Amino acid sequence: MIKQESDFSSNTNVDDIDINPHANSYFGARAETLAEQEKNFTLKELFQGVFFKLYPLFSIDCGALMLYNEEMDHITRAYLTEAISGKISCTEIISDPVSLSLITKEISDFDFPVLKSRQDWITDFGENHCLTNHPIEYHFHCYIPLEHKGRILGTFELHNHNRELSAEGLSFCCNIADFIAGLLAVMEERNGYASRFVRLARPEMINGTKTSLHAEEKIKQLENEIGKLNTQLAEYLVFKPEVTNEILDHPEIVGSSPEMQEVYKLLNRISTSETTVLILGETGTGKELIAKAIHDGSGRSQKTMIKVNCAAIPPNLIESELFGHEKGSFTGATEKRIGKFEQAHKGTIFLDEIGELTLDLQVKLLRVLQEKEIERVGGKTTVATDVRIISATNRNLFEEVEAGRFRRDLYYRLNVLPVSLPPLRNRKSDIAVLATFFLEKFAKKSNRNFDGFSKKAISTMMAYSWPGNVRELEHLIERQVVMAQGPMIKDLEIPKSTEHSLSTVARVKTISENERDHIFAVLELCNGRISGKHGAAKLLGVPATTLNSKIKKLGLAKKHVFN
């Protein structure tokens, strides 16, 4: 700002406005009330509304609007806006023409935006760059000329305490300054307004219905323009994740949301134990990563952690895969094979997608948990094992138990220490951090450098439901790294076909599953009785022999349910 004895009036008129979430409708609200309340529109209100927009967008602490006469040797009108203690105030600091000071003269000659620090002004003009009778001192300054058709109407000034206005902020504010200059020119042309405040420096009003409507139209136009510029700007502002003091974290797990804090607390408690753990969560939530974290924090961390995806192994081979087999035990068994359980001796075995195991194999797994020993396929002796079992599934195992697809006794053996992982849509505060982590990971892998994501790209990710969770986010970022043209990810194209997750839609059961569920319900109603007057066969209207065949075919022998 400018320091001179006659530059600022000590009589000020301050209007305080509480900053609130409805700031975007400020211009419209003011335009609607002007005709009814005052029948006029003031430049002070316009400038106050402009600062209302800029303050939260670029953290601008102070703004000023300086208007010059045609000869550019006097300031005819000046306004000061500040954000103090959560409120924005607008003050008319010059209401009568005053001569230009040394610094004012320097500023009025600018026909291009200028960024200067307070130290620069001290070097050029000495200790005189502050507000007269004003307790606040600003250290970074920006001056933008209000130019229209080669004529300088005034200066749009922005001042900050601790940091200089960014290049993006300067570009945005230049557009605002151009719009204000155009609005002043229209006022001068249609209503003689500008000539009155320039030469006479008297009441700044646009009177009458016609001019009020014109002012209202201009206000709405300005608000729309600011909204458009704000949207465009979001593509160029680089998002920087906030650094927070995390209560708990893990070196290989990204995320500090409240939901993940609960997971970390649980991990710290269960990692040092030897108890069986069941990890529950949707596909892509990082169940394998959590299993590794449990293993790494346990006393078995120096031993092997064997991983088995139960859904990826054919049912006729999974028993041999888990427990091993003897030579000649079946066709193709040309040599003895050690199974996964023996490989994990003294360590940990991770059984992913355990809900996919058949009922027959569930029985054998239950024996391993109870007896701590296995029997190879085709073997005649048992082999003792010392293995900690960590299992995981994206199914609701309790519902599977109720439907007869999972053994109840095995469920309770596995579900000693359950760990539920939150889906990504429930921990949105971690999305930006995860995206940045994956961007750095794939940028390094592809030998490229990126500045980061635009705020628009982050907003797009925050608005998406992420049915594939962290895995889907990881794959999306990898694709963006490959396709990106510049040093910043400005926008994201998320396939809309995946907007609705299959995990959020009730799974459609097959005919066999519906038949099995129905038979099971009837058997439960009959207390397991198949034949006889009150048996399930009579209720179902089929012979008892037929029902027995059905039960055997569907893998629902009574011993699996009614013990």
Side-chain angles (χ1 to χ4, degrees):
M1 294 300 300
I2 311 148
K3 175 184 172 93
Q4 59 178 34
E5 292 301 324
S6 59
D7 271 1
F8 304 101
S9 171
S10 60
N11 296 323
T12 60
N13 178 23
V14 181
D15 293 331
D16 289 338
I17 300 177
D18 289 330
I19 300 173
N20 58 68
H22 304 293
N24 288 338
S25 61
Y26 172 75
F27 288 109
R30 294 302 300 167
E32 292 174 4
T33 57
L34 282 175
E36 296 298 327
Q37 294 181 353
E38 300 179 7
K39 302 296 184 182
N40 66 72
F41 163 69
T42 65
L43 189 60
K44 175 181 173 182
E45 290 177 304
L46 171 64
F47 184 52
Q48 190 174 5
V50 168
F51 188 79
F52 214 144
K53 292 283 187 177
L54 295 180
Y55 167 70
L57 192 58
F58 298 109
S59 300
I60 296 171
D61 300 316
C62 176
L65 185 65
M66 316 294 288
L67 303 179
Y68 308 131
N69 62 354
E70 291 186 15
E71 292 76 20
M72 295 188 64
D73 56 9
H74 281 77
I75 299 174
T76 61
R77 190 64 56 89
Y79 306 93
L80 178 72
T81 60
E82 292 179 284
I84 301 175
S85 300
K87 292 185 178 181
I88 292 178
S89 65
C90 185
T91 306
E92 184 176 354
I93 53 178
I94 294 179
S95 57
D96 293 307
V98 297
S99 299
L100 303 184
S101 65
L102 178 62
I103 296 180
T104 313
K105 176 63 176 174
E106 183 78 14
I107 294 172
S108 66
D109 288 338
F110 294 157
D111 57 358
F112 54 88
V114 173
L115 293 170
K116 270 185 176 286
S117 67
R118 180 175 180 274
Q119 188 60 46
D120 292 337
W121 283 108
I122 291 175
T123 301
D124 294 340
F125 302 102
E127 288 277 2
N128 64 347
H129 192 260
C130 60
L131 301 178
T132 300
N133 300 323
H134 196 280
I136 301 176
E137 188 175 87
Y138 297 100
H139 296 274
F140 298 94
H141 313 278
C142 172
Y143 302 93
I144 305 173
L146 298 172
E147 186 270 336
H148 184 74
K149 295 183 178 179
R151 174 186 166 195
I152 304 298
L153 303 178
T155 306
F156 184 32
E157 303 181 5
L158 302 167
H159 308 277
N160 276 0
H161 288 294
N162 301 316
R163 67 177 188 178
E164 187 176 70
L165 186 66
S166 65
E168 294 85 357
L170 177 61
S171 176
F172 188 88
C173 291
C174 283
N175 284 299
I176 299 299
D178 288 343
F179 199 91
I180 292 176
L183 183 60
L184 291 173
V186 170
M187 291 177 180
E188 180 180 9
E189 177 183 350
R190 296 192 178 184
N191 306 299
Y193 174 66
S195 60
R196 285 198 292 130
F197 74 70
V198 168
R199 294 171 184 163
L200 302 178
R202 288 299 175 245
E204 46 165 284
M205 295 185 180
I206 306 176
N207 295 307
T209 304
K210 182 177 180 180
T211 52
S212 288
L213 292 175
H214 177 68
E216 181 179 350
E217 180 182 347
K218 285 297 179 182
I219 292 171
K220 291 181 178 179
Q221 187 178 354
L222 177 59
E223 185 178 22
N224 291 336
E225 185 70 15
I226 290 176
K228 291 178 182 178
L229 292 172
N230 192 13
T231 301
Q232 295 173 7
L233 183 64
E235 296 183 10
Y236 298 94
L237 287 176
V238 179
F239 173 82
K240 298 295 183 184
E242 294 183 4
V243 178
T244 58
N245 295 323
E246 298 179 0
I247 302 173
L248 296 170
D249 61 5
H250 191 278
E252 296 184 13
I253 303 176
V254 178
S256 58
S257 62
E259 292 79 9
M260 289 306 297
Q261 289 295 317
E262 293 301 317
V263 173
Y264 296 147
K265 290 178 184 178
L266 196 55
L267 289 184
N268 289 344
R269 293 179 180 177
I270 68 178
S271 293
T272 55
S273 72
E274 291 290 312
T275 309
T276 302
V277 178
L278 175 62
I279 305 174
L280 305 169
E282 295 178 6
T283 298
T285 50
K287 294 186 288 294
E288 183 176 329
L289 195 61
I290 296 297
K292 186 176 185 305
I294 295 172
H295 170 74
D296 291 343
S298 70
R300 298 173 179 263
S301 58
Q302 300 303 316
K303 299 296 182 178
T304 306
M305 176 178 170
I306 301 297
K307 305 171 186 177
V308 181
N309 188 332
C310 300
I313 305 174
N316 60 328
L317 296 178
I318 193 167
E319 182 179 357
S320 171
E321 187 74 18
L322 291 176
F323 308 126
H325 62 256
E326 299 289 351
K327 180 179 179 181
S329 58
F330 54 85
T331 303
T334 57
E335 60 183 3
K336 177 182 176 180
R337 178 172 183 176
I338 302 300
K340 299 296 185 182
F341 270 87
E342 286 187 77
Q343 295 176 31
H345 185 62
K346 297 294 184 180
T348 305
I349 188 168
F350 175 53
L351 302 177
D352 196 10
E353 304 298 346
I354 196 168
E356 304 297 329
L357 290 179
T358 62
L359 289 170
D360 290 340
L361 198 57
Q362 289 175 30
V363 175
K364 296 181 179 180
L365 179 59
L366 181 61
R367 180 185 176 185
V368 174
L369 286 167
Q370 292 174 336
E371 307 297 335
K372 303 296 183 182
E373 60 183 22
I374 63 168
E375 185 176 324
R376 301 190 192 105
V377 176
K380 297 180 181 180
T381 59
T382 59
V383 180
T385 59
D386 179 11
V387 177
R388 183 182 189 181
I389 296 178
I390 301 176
S391 55
T393 181
N394 60 358
R395 291 190 179 191
N396 186 325
L397 284 189
F398 185 76
E399 290 183 358
E400 296 293 300
V401 169
E402 293 299 311
R405 292 186 290 269
F406 202 85
R407 290 183 59 91
R408 190 180 300 272
D409 45 7
L410 178 59
Y411 169 71
Y412 290 121
R413 281 282 185 176
L414 295 174
N415 196 39
V416 178
L417 284 176
V419 178
S420 296
L421 300 186
L424 188 55
R425 60 182 173 275
N426 291 348
R427 44 181 289 219
K428 290 204 168 185
S429 59
D430 290 335
I431 290 177
V433 181
L434 283 163
T436 302
F437 171 79
F438 290 133
L439 180 64
E440 293 174 354
K441 172 184 173 181
F442 293 118
K444 183 177 180 180
K445 186 177 179 180
S446 60
N447 198 26
R448 296 184 63 182
N449 293 320
F450 286 90
D451 296 333
F453 296 94
S454 70
K455 290 188 175 181
K456 180 180 179 182
I458 293 295
S459 297
T460 301
M461 287 189 280
M462 294 292 284
Y464 185 53
S465 62
W466 298 107
N469 293 293
V470 180
R471 185 183 293 118
E472 182 183 5
L473 174 62
E474 181 180 10
H475 293 167
L476 176 68
I477 301 305
E478 183 177 12
R479 181 165 63 249
Q480 295 300 318
V481 168
V482 173
M483 302 301 295
Q485 299 294 326
M488 182 170 64
I489 308 295
K490 294 182 180 180
D491 201 358
L492 293 173
E493 292 186 7
I494 300 177
K496 295 184 177 179
S497 59
T498 62
E499 181 70 30
H500 297 289
S501 170
L502 292 177
S503 63
T504 61
V505 180
R507 191 174 70 88
V508 177
K509 294 181 179 180
T510 65
I511 294 176
S512 296
E513 288 175 332
N514 280 308
E515 184 180 28
R516 179 170 53 189
D517 290 349
H518 182 56
I519 292 174
F520 222 89
V522 175
L523 283 170
E524 189 173 22
L525 181 64
C526 299
N527 295 319
R529 184 186 297 274
I530 295 177
S531 58
K533 182 178 180 181
H534 301 291
K538 186 171 181 62
L539 288 178
L540 291 170
V542 297
T545 53
T546 301
L547 181 56
N548 272 314
S549 298
K550 282 281 186 184
I551 290 173
K552 184 176 180 180
K553 181 179 179 181
L554 294 172
L556 296 180
K558 287 198 297 178
K559 65 178 182 179
H560 291 157
V561 185
F562 306 104
N563 295 321

